[in-house]
Amino acid sequence: MNPSTALARVLVDELARCGLAEAVIAPGSRSTPLALALVAHPGIRTHVRIDERSAAFLALGLARTARRAVALVCTSGTAAANFHPAVLEADQSGVPLLLLTADRPPELRGTGANQTVDQIALYGSAVRMFTEVGVPEPVPGMVAYWRSLACRAWAAASGRLPGPVHLNLAFRDPLVPDPDGAGEPWPESLAGRDGGRSWISMAGAPPLEAPPMVLPPVQRGVIVCGDGDYDPVPYLALAVQTGWPLLAEPTSNARRAEAVSTYRHLLAVPDFVAAHEPDIVVSVGRPGLSRQLLGYLRRAGRHVVVGEPTAFADPVRTATDVVPGVVAAATAEPDTPWSRSWRDAEAAARAATDELLDADDTLGELRLARDMAGHLPNGSLLFAGSSMPIRDLDATMPARCGARIIGNRGVSGIDGTVSTAVGAALAHQRDGGGPAAALIGDLALLHDQNGLITGPDEPRPDLALVVVNNDGGGIFSGLEQAGHPDFERVFGTPHGASMERVAAAAEVPYTRLEWAGDLPKALLGEGIRLIEVRTDRAESAAQRRRLQEEVTAALG
């Protein structure tokens, strides 16, 4: 067996023993040994994408949803550079990825050899571990090195602080397996441990943790649940035990019955904020979706962050304590003037929100976000695009449970949106989940049109891609740039592209949706399909302002 094939087969086999079940391959020549080893392995489902950036975000969606590392393979050169945006998102969001970049052997580097760039530590500090694997040689000891390295990489990607891991693999020719009977015998057995066991067992006792912090029995406490893949139940229980309001961003998956769904609007009312200064705030995850919430965090007399000492979210630098967990004081009293004030404000703001959005059957951006969150059945997955889709969900989504909401909130880019949603739906439905939908903007779709292109032999999810087409960048209409004379060209960026033609080019079914009453039926279907909702940026911005005015008036 030639060395390149031996390394690839041993590495893939060991990763599968560790738990690898999905791999995404971007085609290329130098990565041939890895691609063939992955496709041949019976325990690994493979996905092939022609665009490395789309491939990387597909892997991100798979790994984020399955909560398990996914392998990502490419050839040498700019191919590996196209992984970088997804690597940054995986780093910030704590998503486990195994980046297997093929490379030219050392003797070709720095010589002007074709398709050769410096791939050493290509992703910098964004990875949990980097290893230059070295050129495979037919000498004793290689198998133990490769298998132990695979176990270390898996553990680094999947540990207490999960994230991307980068293995750079230099392959010499030949890159394809030897013909049957040809080639020199390998000097040692290529087999792994008996019984399918991994080379190194990582199933030891979990590290000891400090005990949870007992919170003081104060009335004026607030719980903030930001973006992240953590269990929201302890914080919902804490809200019940203490009576403290729970302010939950959509991708926290904590916006359930105990949560204040209208906090974004409440915290934009100066009189309300002045009357609701918190003595203590407990936060978990990564808050930062709204300026209102970040401003409120600055008012906390004490800010307790639940997280790891080496990696915790404190975007406004107000943390006073970082702890592994929190529990309510035994004397906590849930029914207080503080808790009743928040409940009354939530009821008034919720009524004002729904009254405005239900005034007619027109399907604007705010109503679309609210209704999508409400209409999806239990067991569904909803992917929320960056910019306005996730913010409109935050502004309008009522409390509900039974649906999982995710988004690329690590660095909040719009690149790779379609591919991430496709990967998330694939993982969700492989694990027995129900329908999947995505709410994204027109620029996000155009930025990742390649994410719609799926080969005839590739696994396909059932995914309704709902695209808000306001012919440009809607988020800027609500920011300071909106008054600049060059706003429309530089920030509004009208494109005039036809969503129907984009769908046709990718051979994806297309529907245009105009009325709110037609949304439930439009969401039904099989395969990947595109649903367009056309809106006007100026009208949407005006409605957002009216909504805030209505909530302010409702609070008296």
Side-chain angles (χ1 to χ4, degrees):
M1 182 180 295
N2 67 64
S4 293
T5 298
L7 167 56
R9 289 184 178 178
V10 168
L11 189 70
V12 167
D13 176 69
E14 191 61 39
L15 289 173
R17 290 166 181 255
C18 291
L20 181 69
E22 304 261 19
V24 181
I25 302 168
S29 176
R30 191 57 53 170
S31 55
T32 295
L34 286 169
L36 294 180
L38 286 164
V39 169
H41 197 287
I44 299 174
R45 182 170 71 163
T46 55
H47 312 263
V48 179
R49 293 295 186 274
I50 59 175
D51 181 328
E52 284 85 6
R53 188 178 66 179
S54 293
F57 278 101
L58 177 77
L60 180 80
L62 286 162
R64 182 193 298 275
T65 306
R67 301 184 175 96
R68 175 178 291 192
V70 171
L72 182 58
V73 172
C74 72
T75 191
S76 61
T78 59
N82 280 299
F83 284 174
H84 210 149
V87 173
L88 295 174
E89 175 65 32
D91 172 36
Q92 295 293 317
S93 293
V95 177
L97 288 179
L98 295 169
L99 311 162
L100 309 179
T101 58
D103 201 353
R104 268 26 184 193
E107 63 268 19
L108 295 181
R109 300 173 187 171
T111 66
N114 185 48
Q115 205 169 315
T116 305
V117 301
D118 184 0
Q119 296 178 197
I120 305 300
L122 179 63
Y123 308 113
S125 61
V127 295
R128 303 294 182 266
M129 166 185 168
F130 166 74
T131 298
E132 166 72 354
V133 178
V135 177
E137 301 284 357
V139 296
M142 285 285 98
V143 173
Y145 164 51
W146 296 335
R147 291 190 179 273
S148 63
L149 176 62
C151 293
R152 288 176 180 272
W154 182 266
S158 310
R160 288 170 59 87
L161 296 173
V165 162
H166 180 200
L167 303 183
N168 195 56
L169 298 114
F171 292 115
R172 290 193 179 109
D173 293 334
L175 301 175
V176 296
D178 301 317
D180 291 342
E184 297 294 327
W186 200 259
E188 60 180 339
S189 171
L190 294 171
R193 305 285 190 201
D194 293 339
R197 293 180 294 120
S198 58
W199 196 258
I200 303 173
S201 173
M202 302 288 186
L208 295 175
E209 287 188 348
M213 174 183 178
V214 179
L215 296 167
V218 300
Q219 288 189 17
R220 300 174 72 88
V222 174
I223 306 164
V224 173
C225 289
D227 171 73
D229 188 18
Y230 53 88
D231 183 3
V233 171
Y235 307 99
L236 295 164
L238 181 65
V240 172
Q241 294 164 350
T242 61
W244 297 354
L246 188 150
L247 317 183
E249 294 183 0
T251 53
S252 71
N253 289 285
R255 191 174 291 193
R256 304 184 189 179
E258 296 81 1
V260 178
S261 68
T262 58
Y263 75 87
R264 186 186 189 96
H265 301 300
L266 298 178
L267 298 182
V269 180
D271 289 346
F272 178 86
V273 172
H276 292 80
E277 295 274 358
D279 292 333
I280 186 170
V281 172
V282 174
S283 71
V284 61
R286 299 177 70 250
L289 187 53
S290 69
R291 295 180 179 183
Q292 297 92 327
L293 183 57
L294 292 178
Y296 193 64
L297 285 175
R298 293 188 178 95
R299 294 174 172 268
R302 186 177 184 184
H303 181 189
V304 177
V305 179
V306 180
E308 295 280 344
T310 57
F312 61 92
D314 181 27
V316 293
R317 298 170 299 282
T318 56
T320 57
D321 307 81
V322 178
V323 298
V326 291
V327 294
T331 57
E333 172 55 54
D335 188 18
T336 64
W338 172 259
S339 64
R340 290 192 294 272
S341 174
W342 279 92
R343 287 198 300 268
D344 291 345
E346 159 73 356
R350 186 75 252 169
T353 298
D354 293 336
E355 182 178 359
L356 176 66
L357 299 185
D358 292 333
D360 56 48
D361 200 38
T362 302
L363 195 56
E365 295 179 20
L366 288 171
R367 180 160 184 180
L368 173 63
R370 186 202 63 176
D371 288 3
M372 275 194 70
H375 286 316
L376 289 173
N378 288 344
S380 297
L381 176 78
L382 175 58
F383 180 88
S386 297
S387 297
M388 291 315 302
I390 184 63
R391 287 172 172 80
D392 286 342
L393 275 174
D394 192 36
T396 64
M397 176 185 165
R400 70 155 294 175
C401 61
R404 184 178 177 190
I405 302 175
I406 65 172
N408 285 343
R409 296 299 306 159
V411 288
S412 302
I414 66 167
D415 45 348
T417 299
V418 174
S419 299
T420 309
V422 171
L426 281 165
H428 175 69
Q429 289 159 4
R430 179 175 183 170
D431 290 342
L439 177 62
I440 67 176
D442 50 340
L443 297 187
L445 175 71
L446 296 174
H447 208 287
D448 191 23
Q449 293 180 62
N450 285 349
L452 294 173
I453 300 174
T454 308
D457 298 324
E458 298 305 308
R460 293 171 181 257
D462 292 330
L463 172 65
L465 282 167
V466 180
V467 180
V468 176
N469 183 7
N470 54 29
D471 195 29
I475 191 170
F476 298 108
S477 296
L479 301 179
E480 295 84 352
Q481 295 92 326
H484 195 279
D486 292 319
F487 170 81
E488 188 62 8
R489 180 188 175 204
V490 179
F491 299 102
T493 58
H495 50 76
S498 166
M499 300 296 112
E500 185 173 9
R501 291 181 180 178
V502 170
E507 298 184 340
V508 170
Y510 165 86
T511 301
R512 181 176 172 184
L513 184 62
E514 297 188 45
W515 305 108
D518 295 329
L519 176 62
K521 182 179 179 181
L523 292 174
L524 300 176
E526 297 180 350
I528 301 173
R529 59 260 187 219
L530 190 63
I531 302 166
E532 179 187 16
V533 178
R534 295 185 188 176
T535 63
D536 181 272
R537 277 185 274 127
E539 291 180 2
S540 297
Q543 188 181 45
R544 293 184 184 101
R545 290 192 294 270
R546 286 198 302 273
L547 177 55
Q548 183 60 59
E549 291 167 359
E550 293 294 329
V551 170
T552 302
L555 295 182

